Amino acid sequence: MLKKIRLFFLAIIALISPSPVLAQETFVLDSSDSLNQVTNVSQLQDVQPGDWAYEALRSLVERYGCIAGYPDGTFRGNQALTRYEFAAALDTCLQQVEKLTDSETANLDRKENLETLSRLNQEFKAELATIGARIGKLEKKTDFLEKHQFSTTTELKGEVIFAPVFTDKGEATLSDRVRINFETSFTGTDLLKVRLQANNVPNLSGVTGTDMSRLSFDAGSNNNITLNELYYRWNHGEKLQFWIGTVGLDIDDIFSTGNRYLNSSGKGTLTRFNRYNPSTHRGPEGAGLGIKYQLGEKADLIALYLTDPNQASNPNQGFFNSNFSTGLQLNYKREQCDFVRSAKKGAIAKNYI
């Protein structure tokens, strides 16, 4: 860089030093003689390659861009230079040198950064190699999952229950229930649920004469595969939620049961009696509509109208002439504290069926 600056000032001195052919008279610039910046020495009509200062001019124009010509396209190399003109030309060229110096400093900073990165790369070569290998394995696994995934919008879930059961006749049976669930979401907040089921678990209501002795997962179909559930749930805005279904849309799918840990037929309680309140969660169900309105952060109101699917699809009965269940549920969530003063969430529900 210092060599470039030295050459630059030598070129300036060559331009301002008197030569044997330099005219002794001095011309004063007027407003009509304003100077124009040039980008190539060939733009100066009166500068020829044979001129003694040609190379100096070419260097100043191409390297530093600080030489100007007159409006008529001439340089007037033999014209005397006033002190003002010299000061203006020198200031312009010094500004260019400053820019070039800053650029060289930036390049030097980049070089130092590259050297630092290279040194760090050598120091952590083993660790980087290990990370690179792990990333490679993750990419392979991701590619495999993307190629073999079931669906981008649908989750496939399965459940199998094996149940040794003693019947009301005193006989021991080995039964099962198998479910395959397809849960699809198109927006991230909605749910289209389709379930296939096969079951041969016996009905034990004859033991007590009531449904309270029935198992949570009984539904004997001789292990024939049936469409057990088909409904769609979606949100409309921030306050409204809707349900519509033709098979398997039950009261407890819409109404809150008050205890989500007991409600599941596969993971909850063993009998139907303890899954939910039998006084409000019993009645014709399977096909119908539901709507939920959010009253606030802690309260909501739910309404439903459900019928038996076989009756709802019967052209001689229809949806509104079938046996039905309809009702309202008001839910209020509250904070309650126990004796160790730890907060727990609770809920109060009022049902009208």
Side-chain angles (χ1 to χ4, degrees):
M1 185 63 195
L2 293 175
K3 183 177 180 181
K4 291 182 179 179
I5 297 175
R6 190 182 301 114
L7 291 174
F8 162 74
F9 281 110
L10 288 174
I12 289 291
I13 294 171
L15 289 177
I16 64 175
S17 296
S19 68
V21 294
L22 190 63
Q24 299 300 316
E25 54 203 329
T26 300
F27 296 91
V28 180
L29 293 173
D30 57 27
S31 58
S32 63
D33 287 328
S34 59
L35 304 179
N36 296 328
Q37 189 71 40
V38 296
T39 57
N40 193 297
V41 73
S42 62
Q43 294 176 248
L44 302 172
Q45 299 176 7
D46 58 345
V47 176
Q48 303 301 322
D51 293 340
W52 69 274
Y54 178 82
E55 289 299 325
L57 283 172
R58 188 176 65 83
S59 177
L60 288 172
V61 170
E62 295 179 0
R63 291 188 178 185
Y64 305 102
C66 59
I67 292 298
Y70 288 91
D72 60 358
T74 62
F75 180 66
R76 304 179 189 178
N78 292 325
Q79 178 175 302
L81 184 70
T82 67
R83 294 173 63 85
Y84 290 114
E85 290 175 319
F86 172 73
L90 183 61
D91 179 67
T92 301
C93 288
L94 286 175
Q95 290 179 16
Q96 291 298 105
V97 170
E98 185 178 355
K99 291 180 181 178
L100 289 172
T101 304
D102 292 340
S103 176
E104 289 293 332
T105 303
N107 290 333
L108 182 60
D109 291 339
R110 285 195 294 270
K111 183 178 179 181
E112 291 178 352
N113 292 336
L114 289 174
E115 291 175 351
T116 301
L117 289 174
S118 178
R119 185 176 65 256
L120 291 174
N121 184 49
Q122 291 298 322
E123 291 180 4
F124 296 96
K125 187 175 182 179
E127 291 81 357
L128 292 173
T130 302
I131 294 174
R134 290 180 179 178
I135 292 175
K137 291 180 180 179
L138 289 175
E139 288 177 346
K140 289 181 180 179
K141 289 181 179 180
T142 302
D143 292 340
F144 178 83
L145 291 174
E146 289 179 350
K147 292 178 181 178
H148 295 83
Q149 65 180 338
F150 177 74
S151 171
T152 57
T153 58
T154 303
E155 288 188 41
L156 175 62
K157 298 181 178 180
E159 181 186 72
V160 178
I161 298 176
F162 294 104
V165 179
F166 286 91
T167 69
D168 55 344
K169 306 296 183 181
E171 299 294 335
T173 65
L174 183 60
S175 306
D176 64 78
R177 188 187 75 176
V178 180
R179 284 180 169 179
I180 297 178
N181 296 304
F182 301 89
E183 298 182 359
T184 303
S185 179
F186 304 103
T187 65
T189 59
D190 62 334
L191 173 65
L192 173 63
K193 189 169 184 179
V194 181
R195 175 191 290 161
L196 301 178
Q197 176 176 287
N199 192 324
N200 66 355
V201 178
N203 186 328
L204 300 181
S205 60
V207 175
T208 60
T210 65
D211 284 342
M212 71 182 201
S213 58
R214 292 182 61 183
L215 296 175
S216 296
F217 47 84
D218 76 352
S221 63
N222 296 321
N223 269 338
N224 293 320
I225 299 175
T226 60
L227 179 63
N228 178 255
E229 199 165 66
L230 175 60
Y231 70 82
Y232 183 57
R233 184 193 70 212
W234 75 99
N235 296 334
H236 182 75
E238 297 182 355
K239 293 183 177 293
L240 286 173
Q241 188 175 58
F242 296 92
W243 290 261
I244 183 171
T246 56
V247 179
L249 181 60
D250 296 334
I251 296 174
D252 60 294
D253 289 321
I254 302 175
F255 275 2
S256 171
T257 60
N259 191 333
R260 62 182 183 273
Y261 299 108
L262 302 179
N263 184 40
S264 170
S265 64
K267 300 178 182 179
T269 61
L270 187 61
T271 67
R272 296 191 175 205
F273 180 77
N274 292 325
R275 285 179 60 199
Y276 38 66
N277 187 345
S279 65
T280 57
H281 288 80
R282 290 180 60 190
E285 57 186 2
L289 306 167
I291 182 172
K292 175 181 178 181
Y293 182 74
Q294 196 71 35
L295 298 174
E297 292 184 1
K298 297 184 178 181
D300 59 65
L301 182 66
I302 306 175
L304 59 79
Y305 179 89
L306 300 174
T307 69
D308 184 276
N310 295 324
Q311 296 180 9
S313 61
N314 188 338
N316 297 319
Q317 256 182 307
F319 182 63
F320 292 105
N321 289 323
S322 305
N323 296 329
F324 64 89
S325 299
T326 187
L328 294 173
Q329 183 182 59
L330 177 63
N331 296 294
Y332 177 75
K333 299 178 182 178
R334 60 187 175 87
E335 297 289 333
Q336 59 184 6
C337 297
D338 60 11
F339 56 90
V340 294
R341 301 184 65 82
S342 62
K344 292 184 178 180
K345 290 185 177 180
I348 299 175
K350 186 66 175 178
N351 303 295
Y352 297 93
I353 300 293

